[in-house]
Amino acid sequence: MKTYVRARARRRPAGGFLAARRLRGDRGVSILEFTGFLPVLLLVGMAAIQLGLIGYGVNQAGSGARAAARAASQQGGPPAGEAAGHASVSGWLDPDVFTEQGSELTTATVTVTVPGVIPLFGPYEVTRRATMPTDD
């Protein structure tokens, strides 16, 4: 009876055993790449949030200025305009409302303070102004 000894096959084509043996040394590289890139991702995310907050502050300041100018021109006085300006802006933005009433035009100026999200960058002040004709 003949005994056949099978020779061990060593596969060397791409994707074979030798390529798999070489890849074992690359374990953990992806987590290192992610860890190195994570601060950049966080900074970009925080910058996007900061831009969103600034846009919201601009929107709120514009709405407050229009409301203050409208109320001051129709109801005849800066106190009514300042109250309307404070009421139309979110309280956490800490609005500063100033109305000036002339004989023909009423102008309202609203300044809000947008908090800084990124550490090292302080709060931002946004100012908007609106002018309406004074009702007699």
Side-chain angles (χ1 to χ4, degrees), residues 23-103:
L23 288 179
R24 282 190 212 147
D26 291 341
R27 281 185 159 171
V29 171
S30 60
I31 191 69
L32 288 176
E33 290 173 356
F34 178 73
T35 304
F37 197 66
L38 186 62
V40 174
L41 288 175
L42 289 175
L43 188 64
V44 168
M46 289 170 61
I49 291 170
Q50 184 67 59
L51 287 175
L53 282 176
I54 290 173
Y56 181 72
V58 167
N59 187 5
Q60 289 288 298
S63 296
R66 284 190 303 277
R70 186 180 308 113
S73 69
Q74 291 177 352
Q75 297 173 1
E82 291 177 6
H86 278 286
S88 65
V89 177
S90 295
W92 63 272
L93 288 173
D94 191 27
D96 183 25
V97 181
F98 175 73
T99 58
E100 182 181 358
Q101 188 173 13
S103 60

